[in-house]
């Protein structure tokens, strides 16, 4: 069953790329409501509902169309694959949230629980967790393979993104 789902996902991506079905798709078309329990979430820096005007933060929106998000050309995407069964991943996820905030408008971060969304991690041929994949204009540009390093932290991911032209606005973390 997993192999069928992975093959189906790959075929859907190829069909969309060949016939251009995602050209008019926007990020908003591909995400749902706020859901902190979803296995795939777009990390959106936005006004927090119910708070006073100007109170912004990272909110997790359920991804309802991962193919659409990766095929759209409005904004580059970083897929952050992690394992929900791994211990100690909270600090890395907090760092990814900081990156999503400081790169808001430049890059869209999508967190994907590779254990729960197994078909997606299979389609991207992951060899381990955590892993980051940069997608620009519907194509995979680069991969940061965390398992290849003896030690690394979120600063290494930040430098990796800077190598591809994305500079965090650290002033967004103040206050």
């Amino acid at each position: 069953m997993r192999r069928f789902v992975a093959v189906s996902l790959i075929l859907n991506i190829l069909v969309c790329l060949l016939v251009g079905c995602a050209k008019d798709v926007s990020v908003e078309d591909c995400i749902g409501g706020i859901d902190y329990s979803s296995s795939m979430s777009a990390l959106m820096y936005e006004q927090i509902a119910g708070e006073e005007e100007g109170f912004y933060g990272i909110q997790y929106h359920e991804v309802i169309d991962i193919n659409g998000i990766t095929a759209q050309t409005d904004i580059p995407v970083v897929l952050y694959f992690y394992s929900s069964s791994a211990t100690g991943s909270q600090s890395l996820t907090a760092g990814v949230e900081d990156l999503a905030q400081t790169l808001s408008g430049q890059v869209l971060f999508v967190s994907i629980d590779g254990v729960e969304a197994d078909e997606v991690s299979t389609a991207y041929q992951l060899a381990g967790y955590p892993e980051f994949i940069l997608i620009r204009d519907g194509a995979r540009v680069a991969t940061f393979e965390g398992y290849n390093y003896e030690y690394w932290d979120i600063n290494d991911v930040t430098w990796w993104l800077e190598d591809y032209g994305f500079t965090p606005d650290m002033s967004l973390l103040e206050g």
Side-chain angles (χ1 to χ4, degrees):
M1 181 65 174
R2 286 184 191 177
R3 184 170 291 170
F4 172 76
V5 173
V7 169
S8 176
L9 181 64
I10 291 169
L11 288 175
N12 284 338
I13 290 170
L14 290 173
V15 167
C16 282
L17 291 174
L18 290 173
V19 300
C21 65
K23 284 184 180 176
D24 295 330
V25 173
S26 71
V27 169
E28 290 76 22
D29 295 330
C30 303
I31 62 173
I34 296 171
D35 184 352
Y36 288 88
S37 64
S38 178
S39 62
M40 290 189 293
S41 299
L43 281 61
M44 309 290 287
Y45 182 62
E46 60 191 10
Q47 169 75 40
I48 297 180
E51 296 290 337
E52 63 185 65
E53 184 66 31
F55 191 80
Y56 285 76
I58 292 296
Q59 299 198 71
Y60 285 63
H61 286 264
E62 177 184 21
V63 172
I64 56 176
D65 182 2
I66 190 67
N67 293 339
I69 281 186
T70 57
Q72 59 78 35
T73 58
D74 293 337
I75 187 167
V77 177
V78 170
L79 302 177
Y80 159 51
F81 288 91
Y82 68 95
S83 170
S84 59
S85 61
T87 58
S89 63
Q90 293 82 6
S91 64
L92 179 59
T93 298
V96 172
E97 289 175 354
D98 285 350
L99 282 175
Q101 181 173 334
T102 60
L103 290 168
S104 178
Q106 295 182 59
V107 179
L108 172 66
F109 283 80
V110 176
S111 67
I112 302 171
D113 181 343
V115 174
E116 295 293 322
D118 170 55
E119 68 282 355
V120 178
S121 54
T122 299
Y124 281 95
Q125 301 173 335
L126 299 186
Y129 301 107
E131 187 164 309
F132 296 83
I133 298 173
L134 174 61
I135 298 172
R136 184 183 287 154
D137 295 326
R140 186 178 191 155
V141 174
T143 304
F144 182 92
E145 299 167 324
Y147 61 87
N148 278 335
Y149 300 92
E150 184 175 333
Y151 176 80
W152 62 273
D153 62 20
I154 199 66
N155 291 321
D156 297 297
V157 177
T158 303
W159 297 324
W160 171 73
L161 286 168
E162 286 176 349
D163 286 344
Y164 290 93
F166 302 105
T167 305
D169 178 0
M170 300 312 277
S171 70
L172 292 173
L173 295 178
E174 297 170 3

